């Protein structure tokens, strides 16, 4: 493999590492601020970080256009038509950003509340269930589901049993919230899948972060007791989640996925679940039992299997 071809996988591996460690930041942040407050500040920071990224990407685009040469002069009719297309694109961008922001608001806050009652490693693996849930939810959109996905579901259910179900056959409240969060993230991905081919991905992400931040802010004001002193004490976990997890990691994902096989990219990004276990153990001293680790192994196998392409039969 050439050195240049290693760039994209390494960027995606860095993205997965940032996201995996973010589970620790989310857990530590709960020692200082409440869930809605954490997500409000985090998402506002994430949206703000993407603004200069958008300006930089626009500058690169203009530079590429200038290197190719100036576009020929357009007629008034062509300019009017182009203006109409731009207006439609702007509306689609705003609609997509709002829809993604709503889904992200539900998913991220379910996750944030759930992390209070479960370990970082368990939260990481349960959240990763969205990879399996996405094709299942696709059934309602009349998308075919292959045999491997159904096998993955069986493995994931077995893994969830080992990871979450206690000796008295109960499941923890935090695990239930994170499982609901995985379902919400699956819906979030389907919404992104619908809008992303039609609009600029970084701009839509910027809008979704601000929408999620504003909605979390409303929840914060209605049900929590935020204070600037508490937010200041949580500057490191909140800052990491906002700048690194939202702003930097998302941009790295976009750059890293460009020109890569989507299946390979997804496999690399799914390593965030493994990183979350390692980060929880190294940083927080949270360990999993042999039974829970066995559940993690089964779930990770399910995640990998769900992303492998189906063999095409000759028609």
């Amino acid at each position: 493999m050439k050195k240049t071809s290693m760039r994209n996988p390494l960027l995606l591996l860095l993205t997965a590492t940032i996201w995996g460690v973010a589970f620790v930041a989310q857990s530590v942040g709960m020692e200082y601020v409440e869930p809605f407050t954490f997500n409000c500040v985090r998402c506002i920071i994430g949206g703000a970080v993407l603004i200069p990224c958008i300006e930089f990407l626009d500058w690169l685009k203009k530079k590429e256009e200038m290197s190719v040469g100036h576009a020929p002069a357009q007629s008034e009719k062509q300019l009017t038509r182009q203006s109409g297309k731009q207006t439609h694109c702007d509306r689609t961008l705003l609609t997509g950003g709002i829809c993604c922001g709503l889904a992200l608001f539900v998913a991220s806050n379910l996750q944030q509340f759930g992390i209070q009652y479960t370990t970082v490693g368990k939260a990481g693996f349960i959240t990763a269930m969205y990879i399996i849930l996405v094709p299942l939810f696709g059934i309602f959109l009349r998308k075919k589901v292959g045999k491997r996905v159904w096998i993955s579901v069986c493995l994931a259910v077995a893994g969830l049993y080992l990871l979450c179900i206690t000796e008295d056959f109960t499941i923890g409240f935090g695990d239930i919230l994170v499982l609901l969060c995985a379902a919400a993230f699956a819906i979030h991905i389907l919404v992104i899948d619908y809008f992303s081919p039609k609009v600029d991905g970084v701009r839509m992400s910027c809008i979704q972060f601000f929408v999620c931040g504003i909605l979390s802010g409303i929840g914060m004001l209605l049900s929590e007791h935020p204070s600037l002193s508490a937010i200041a004490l949580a500057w490191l976990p909140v800052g990491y989640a906002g700048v690194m997890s939202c702003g930097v990691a998302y941009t790295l994902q976009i750059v890293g996925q460009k020109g890569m096989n989507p299946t390979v990219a997804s496999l690399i990004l799914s390593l965030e679940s493994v990183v979350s276990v390692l980060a929880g153990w190294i940083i927080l001293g949270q360990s999993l039992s042999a039974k829970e680790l066995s559940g993690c192994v089964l779930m990770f196998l399910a995640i990998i299997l769900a992303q492998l392409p189906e063999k095409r039969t000759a028609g």
Side-chain angles (χ1 to χ4, degrees):
M1 187 177 284
K2 295 179 182 179
K3 288 184 178 179
T4 52
S5 64
M6 283 296 294
R7 176 176 166 269
N8 288 30
L10 287 174
L11 288 177
L12 292 180
L13 182 59
L14 180 57
T15 302
T17 303
I18 292 171
W19 281 342
V21 176
F23 281 96
V24 172
Q26 290 174 250
S27 180
V28 173
M30 292 297 91
E31 297 175 10
Y32 305 97
V33 295
E34 294 172 279
F36 282 126
T37 303
F38 185 92
N39 275 329
C40 172
V41 179
R42 168 194 186 180
C43 288
I44 295 297
I45 291 173
V49 166
L50 284 182
I51 292 174
C53 291
I54 290 169
E55 293 297 323
F56 176 70
L57 292 172
D58 284 347
W59 176 78
L60 283 179
K61 187 178 179 181
K62 288 179 182 178
K63 191 176 179 182
E64 286 178 5
E65 288 175 353
M66 288 178 66
S67 64
V68 173
H70 295 288
Q74 294 178 313
S75 66
E76 187 176 339
K77 188 176 181 179
Q78 286 175 319
L79 289 171
T80 303
R81 189 181 302 166
Q82 189 175 16
S83 176
K85 286 182 179 178
Q86 184 62 44
T87 303
H88 175 72
C89 185
D90 290 342
R91 287 175 183 170
T92 306
L93 174 63
L94 184 60
T95 303
I98 292 172
C99 290
C100 288
L102 285 168
L104 182 63
F105 164 72
V106 175
S108 61
N109 281 292
L110 280 171
Q111 185 184 68
Q112 200 62 38
F113 276 94
I115 281 177
Q116 295 179 104
Y117 306 102
T118 189
T119 65
V120 165
K122 288 171 74 173
F125 269 92
I126 297 170
T127 299
M129 275 286 292
Y130 69 80
I131 293 171
I132 299 164
L133 292 175
V134 167
L136 286 181
F137 287 177
I139 293 173
F140 298 101
L141 302 175
R142 297 181 180 179
K143 293 184 178 181
K144 292 183 179 179
V145 176
K147 291 180 182 178
R148 286 181 179 174
V149 172
W150 292 114
I151 297 171
S152 297
V153 170
C154 294
L155 284 173
V157 169
L160 273 174
Y161 175 83
L162 292 174
L163 186 62
C164 304
I165 304 298
T166 61
E167 292 179 0
D168 55 352
F169 294 98
T170 58
I171 184 170
F173 179 61
D175 297 336
I176 293 173
L177 290 178
V178 179
L179 188 57
L180 291 172
C181 139
F185 269 124
I187 293 170
H188 178 248
I189 287 171
L190 290 172
V191 174
I192 290 175
D193 183 61
Y194 176 79
F195 283 103
S196 60
K198 305 175 183 180
V199 297
D200 181 275
V202 183
R203 279 182 166 81
M204 186 170 72
S205 183
C206 183
I207 294 171
Q208 77 162 353
F209 284 137
F210 281 121
V211 169
C212 182
I214 291 168
L215 291 175
S216 297
I218 294 170
M220 171 187 74
L221 295 174
L222 292 177
S223 63
E224 298 177 353
H225 304 87
S227 69
L228 289 175
S229 58
I231 294 172
L233 288 171
W235 70 270
L236 184 57
V238 171
Y240 180 91
V243 176
M244 298 299 293
S245 181
C246 292
V248 175
Y250 180 81
T251 306
L252 287 175
Q253 182 193 12
I254 290 174
V255 175
Q257 277 193 233
K258 190 174 183 180
M260 270 200 74
N261 183 313
T263 301
V264 177
S266 298
L267 285 169
I268 297 172
L269 290 173
S270 68
L271 288 172
E272 69 168 305
S273 57
V274 178
V275 174
S276 70
V277 172
L278 294 174
W281 172 53
I282 294 170
I283 302 173
L284 300 179
Q286 295 179 346
S287 58
L288 298 176
S289 66
K291 173 175 168 283
E292 289 171 333
L293 285 172
S294 299
C296 289
V297 170
L298 282 178
M299 290 186 71
F300 192 61
L301 288 174
I303 290 165
I304 293 174
L305 188 62
Q307 294 171 96
L308 294 176
E310 293 282 345
K311 289 183 179 179
R312 294 182 179 179
T313 56

